[in-house]
Amino acid sequence: MRTLSAAVFVTVLLVAAGCKKKAPVPAPPPPPPPPAKVETPPPPPPAAARINSFTAEPTSIERGQSATLRWSVANATDMSINQGLGAVTANGNRQVFPSASTTYTLTASSAGGSDTRSVTVEVTAPPPPPPPPAAPPKISGADMLGRESQDAYFDYDKSDIRQDARDVLTRDADLLKRIFAADPSFSVVIEGHCDERGSAEYNLGLGDRRSTSAKDFLVQLGVPADRLTTISYGKDRPVCTDANEACYQRNRRAHLAPAR
Amino acid sequence: MKTKITVAFVFGLTVLVSSALYLHGQTSQGDIVGVITSAGRPVIAVPDLRGSGAAGGLMDNFNSTLWTELSGSGVLTMAAKSFYPLNVPQRPQDFKAPTTAAPLRRGDAPRTVINGPWLTDWSGPPVNANYLVVGYAGEQDGRLVLYGWLYNLAQQDLGSAQVIGKLYYGSLDADGAKKVAREFAADILQQFGAKTLAGSKIFFVSDRTGHKEIWSMDYDGSNQKQLTRYGDISEMPAVSQDGKLFAFTTYAKGNPKIMVYSAESGKQLQFYNPVASMNATPEFTPDSQHILFSSTFSVKDAQIFISDLHGGDLRRISNVRAIEVSPRVNPKTGHDILFISGRSGHQQLWRMNIDGGDAEMLTTGEGDVSNPSWNPNGQTIAFAWTRGYEIGGFNIFVMDIAKRQPIQLTHGEGRNENPWWAPDGVHLVYTSKRGQSTQIYTMLADGTNLQQITTRGNNLQPVWSKGLD
């Protein structure tokens, strides 16, 4: 524009200069109008929140099962689901485990408005569980002990482990290790007994010494000591009462029993 | 006064004679504890006394109690009733001294006229007694009254012969009759320096309920009372010298543990057992301040320990690798202990000081020994031993602790064990298995006067003390 105005002005000037005649000076052009002020357009009013979808899958479950809620929300600043789920993201899903039929309500809101959508998950009682299969028979430590352990026998007035007793206690040690491995809570009491011929008081001490000897032997073979206790019954618990050496020998024993 | 001196003289002479025999090494069974041998005991005639009115029906009870008390004492020989004269005086007035009269024919000796019952009826043959009991009973104001006299037949006239002349009162029933009989007997026995056993208590074990429990009874087996009800094994009782405390070993709380009870209240007292597989055979010291017992606390072989009455202040006394049980403290000195130990290889009798020093074996090493018991004199002991018999063939022996000569009192009539001295120092209680069951017997320390005092179930391990006053 300026260039044109300048060109016009120079031409006029040349003409004027060329003509010694004074021609009338044209009026300058009106100044251009000031530029129009540009205003940022006001933002459009906020859009209302809109729930695009809110579904539950499946809508019917048995008690103990779960359903998945899925939702998609647009234009919302706050989104939440009741029934304790609380605030959620605009698009999301959540697994729920209602114990009874429950209606979930999604509420989405914005400055422009809010939207709610509900979905119900129906819960039906499951059929009764089938009876558990019969437990397979479990052999207890006490049964194993009663069936497989053997008594160790002693000479009269003695508490040392003689050869036949060593063999018995060695087998008993293996048995005990197996039982303790299978049943970590099982404990054993080693009883010491005497035949009826000594006095009751001395036999109480002798029975105790026999039970301690047997325990020491078992521990030496690796049976855990903390699973073994000892008790003497002196001559108070005979297995027979005949007055002959066969019966006396049967009574001079160390015996393994389950601890109470 | 004269009479008392005479009695004392007779008694003293007898004891002297017995002691003389004893010192000469002719130790007879009775002498060992100062029990006067039968030969030396005064002979006493005790006719059946009669009663008038309501007292009459009670006299059987009275007479048998009086006879049992006197005959069981060990200081008197009873003159046999079958020899007694028919004319029995009941009171001093009944005696009529014989008189002399002129002979029927001139030249003969003067006659003796019998005027009534007299002292010589009893001192002469066939009765040959040294003493005579006279008396009768009646009822007065609803009570039983006994008039009792004791005469020393060595005297010639009634006045000097009378040793006792006394009234005794009781209820008009069997208990009253027994009471006056016991009191009369106690007065008579006191003349001879003997003590009555009435009032003393025996604690023992009985399984008659199906389980071994602790029981008590009187010296003659009456008043048997069950003291524990644990329904388990409770055994090996001990009683303090004053009779106020008893203790025992029980399985009621698991392994054998000691419990202590008051004999007066019947209530359990607190005793903390050391943590051990076995705590057993408790025994009180004479002052009742400590308890000795056998325990496996910190040891493999049961040892002798001592503690206070609650298990505190625990100290180990014996220190060997042998089983040791049954500690028994000398009741006179409180200083030395008898106990059973396997130190020699078999259970034998040992003694040591209460601090564990000076241990020595008292028996020979043969057989098995068990259950030592001290006489109240702190001098004589009793125990069970199999010497001379097969394993388990126990008999009762007594022995002077200084002389060390054991005397065998039973001879294989059953298995005889657990002897215990009576508070009077001349009787023993023990158990005997004759046949199927074990029962409790008492006897004099010379082996005579055997009485079986239990019958039901098996009855074991008796201990004897004075009763509660």
Side-chain angles (χ1 to χ4, degrees):
Chain A
M1 220 30 197
R2 257 167 133 219
T3 314
L4 184 59
S5 307
V8 166
F9 182 68
V10 167
T11 308
V12 167
L13 219 52
L14 283 173
V15 169
C19 327
K20 295 242 186 155
K21 151 155 101 172
K22 269 240 180 143
V25 178
K37 214 152 142 208
V38 179
E39 286 189 10
T40 35
R50 187 180 78 244
I51 293 173
N52 296 327
S53 68
F54 182 43
T55 60
E57 174 68 35
T59 52
S60 179
I61 58 171
E62 283 178 6
R63 189 181 309 130
Q65 293 182 316
S66 66
T68 304
L69 303 176
R70 286 198 173 73
W71 61 92
S72 174
V73 168
N75 306 328
T77 51
D78 292 296
M79 300 137 285
S80 69
I81 303 177
N82 69 347
Q83 306 294 357
L85 271 67
V88 295
T89 54
N91 300 290
N93 58 71
R94 185 79 65 90
Q95 200 178 24
V96 291
F97 298 84
S99 53
S101 299
T102 306
T103 300
Y104 297 89
T105 302
L106 171 63
T107 303
S109 56
S110 70
S114 63
D115 191 9
T116 66
R117 192 83 61 93
S118 291
V119 72
T120 299
V121 175
E122 286 196 1
V123 179
T124 57
K138 183 173 169 254
I139 300 174
S140 70
D143 289 338
M144 280 176 78
L145 194 66
R147 269 194 275 180
E148 297 182 44
S149 74
Q150 282 183 298
D151 292 351
Y153 294 101
F154 297 86
D155 286 339
Y156 181 69
D157 229 350
K158 294 264 182 287
S159 58
D160 43 305
I161 309 293
R162 58 190 204 203
Q163 186 56 53
D164 58 321
R166 294 173 69 91
D167 297 336
V168 163
L169 289 174
T170 304
R171 287 194 296 275
D172 283 345
D174 285 335
L175 171 66
L176 287 176
K177 286 186 219 172
R178 273 187 284 131
I179 295 177
F180 291 148
D183 189 344
S185 67
F186 191 70
S187 286
V188 159
V189 60
I190 304 165
E191 303 174 351
H193 299 266
C194 302
D195 75 44
E196 57 108 24
R197 295 172 298 167
S199 68
E201 298 82 0
Y202 193 78
N203 277 343
L204 198 54
L206 182 58
D208 185 276
R209 195 64 191 83
R210 285 175 177 161
S211 64
T212 308
S213 286
K215 177 182 172 180
D216 287 348
F217 192 85
L218 294 169
V219 168
Q220 228 184 316
L221 292 179
V223 179
D226 59 350
R227 309 290 281 280
L228 302 172
T229 52
T230 60
I231 190 169
S232 168
Y233 284 106
K235 57 176 179 172
D236 268 329
R237 297 253 171 104
V239 293
C240 57
T241 53
D242 315 296
N244 56 46
E245 174 54 29
C247 176
Y248 297 148
Q249 174 63 99
R250 284 181 63 204
N251 282 323
R252 295 194 301 267
R253 69 199 189 281
H255 171 77
L256 305 181
R260 272 183 280 166
Chain B
M1 205 43 193
K2 245 168 58 173
T3 323
K4 286 216 156 72
I5 294 172
T6 315
V7 172
F9 178 73
V10 168
F11 177 68
L13 184 62
T14 320
V15 171
L16 218 58
V17 167
S18 311
S19 314
L21 285 172
Y22 170 66
L23 287 170
H24 269 98
Q26 291 189 38
T27 351
S28 79
Q29 299 177 153
D31 295 337
I32 205 68
V33 286
V35 171
I36 303 162
T37 57
S38 317
R41 293 180 201 158
V43 181
I44 190 168
V46 187
D48 289 337
L49 305 190
R50 294 165 54 219
S52 58
L58 304 173
M59 294 316 283
D60 281 348
N61 222 318
F62 171 88
N63 287 317
S64 64
T65 304
L66 183 64
W67 187 273
T68 305
E69 286 286 322
L70 295 177
S71 63
S73 68
V75 294
L76 294 168
T77 298
M78 311 300 280
K81 283 186 182 175
S82 49
F83 293 134
Y84 293 0
L86 293 172
N87 202 346
V88 177
Q90 298 191 90
R91 52 189 182 157
Q93 298 93 302
D94 294 346
F95 284 100
K96 300 275 188 280
T99 48
T100 44
L104 289 172
R105 283 185 314 170
R106 208 201 297 243
D108 285 347
R111 285 179 296 145
T112 305
V113 179
I114 310 279
N115 297 308
W118 186 239
L119 300 170
T120 46
D121 301 346
W122 302 88
S123 57
V127 186
N128 291 320
N130 306 117
Y131 291 86
L132 172 65
V133 165
V134 168
Y136 65 99
E139 80 174 277
Q140 186 179 71
D141 300 328
R143 284 192 306 169
L144 174 67
V145 184
L146 171 78
Y147 299 81
W149 292 267
L150 178 70
Y151 289 96
N152 176 358
L153 301 172
Q155 296 300 312
Q156 308 304 326
D157 67 277
L158 214 52
S160 8
Q162 181 175 316
V163 178
I164 295 173
K166 199 167 156 181
L167 286 167
Y168 301 87
Y169 295 94
S171 51
L172 205 53
D173 55 22
D175 283 343
K178 275 183 132 175
K179 171 187 178 273
V180 300
R182 288 212 170 114
E183 286 173 7
F184 189 26
D187 284 343
I188 295 171
L189 290 177
Q190 202 182 25
Q191 297 298 320
F192 302 98
K195 278 181 278 183
T196 176
L197 287 170
S200 62
K201 276 280 184 227
I202 296 174
F203 289 78
F204 64 105
V205 177
S206 184
D207 68 359
R208 67 188 75 171
T209 58
H211 292 99
K212 284 188 174 174
E213 304 279 9
I214 307 300
W215 288 63
S216 72
M217 62 183 167
D218 292 348
Y219 72 102
D220 59 357
S222 51
N223 275 322
Q224 298 192 9
K225 278 198 182 67
Q226 183 177 351
L227 302 178
T228 65
R229 284 180 162 77
Y230 287 109
D232 206 311
I233 301 171
S234 297
E235 53 188 0
M236 300 168 192
V239 57
S240 60
Q241 208 173 48
D242 60 9
K244 291 186 179 163
L245 300 170
F246 68 95
F248 53 95
T249 306
T250 182
Y251 286 76
K253 307 287 181 197
N255 278 48
K257 287 185 181 56
I258 291 164
M259 282 191 181
V260 181
Y261 269 69
S262 159
E264 292 171 297
S265 69
K267 288 196 167 31
Q268 188 184 352
L269 304 173
Q270 199 56 259
F271 183 86
Y272 294 99
N273 282 266
V275 177
S277 58
M278 171 191 133
N279 291 297
T281 66
E283 171 74 342
F284 294 92
T285 51
D287 61 5
S288 293
Q289 293 305 302
H290 289 90
I291 292 179
L292 279 86
F293 57 102
S294 173
S295 175
T296 53
F297 176 66
S298 73
V299 290
K300 286 210 210 285
D301 299 282
Q303 295 286 277
I304 308 300
F305 286 75
I306 186 170
S307 76
D308 64 28
L309 287 183
H310 305 289
D313 196 24
L314 181 70
R315 273 175 295 128
R316 181 173 165 186
I317 298 179
S318 58
N319 215 321
V320 293
R321 286 178 160 198
I323 296 164
E324 316 215 299
V325 293
S326 302
R328 307 270 181 249
V329 187
N330 186 321
K332 266 222 122 91
T333 68
H335 176 257
D336 44 339
I337 305 174
L338 296 171
F339 63 106
I340 298 300
S341 174
R343 293 176 197 205
S344 66
H346 293 281
Q347 50 178 115
Q348 292 289 304
L349 176 62
W350 287 68
R351 70 153 293 287
M352 63 181 168
N353 298 341
I354 199 159
D355 62 6
D358 295 340
E360 54 172 329
M361 190 161 82
L362 299 184
T363 41
T364 59
E366 319 162 58
D368 292 325
V369 186
S370 66
N371 313 132
S373 169
W374 285 100
N375 188 294
N377 66 17
Q379 183 84 14
T380 323
I381 66 177
F383 50 94
W385 199 0
T386 60
R387 187 182 78 169
Y389 290 76
E390 75 286 4
I391 300 175
F394 284 94
N395 280 298
I396 308 300
F397 286 73
V398 291
M399 185 169 86
D400 181 286
I401 194 109
K403 266 299 220 164
R404 307 281 172 95
Q405 284 174 0
I407 297 183
Q408 186 171 344
L409 296 188
T410 63
H411 297 84
E413 324 81 330
R415 177 176 165 150
N416 305 295
E417 298 177 88
N418 292 97
W420 199 271
W421 287 99
D424 70 357
V426 296
H427 284 87
L428 285 163
V429 64
Y430 68 103
T431 59
S432 189
K433 183 168 181 185
R434 302 174 187 205
Q436 288 307 321
S437 71
T438 303
Q439 299 302 336
I440 295 176
Y441 293 74
T442 58
M443 65 177 173
L444 279 172
D446 63 358
T448 63
N449 215 265
L450 190 64
Q451 311 270 352
Q452 179 179 342
I453 60 174
T454 59
T455 49
R456 294 177 54 207
N458 289 294
N459 297 283
L460 317 156
Q461 299 166 350
V463 292
W464 205 338
S465 85
K466 70 190 279 284
L468 301 165
D469 298 321

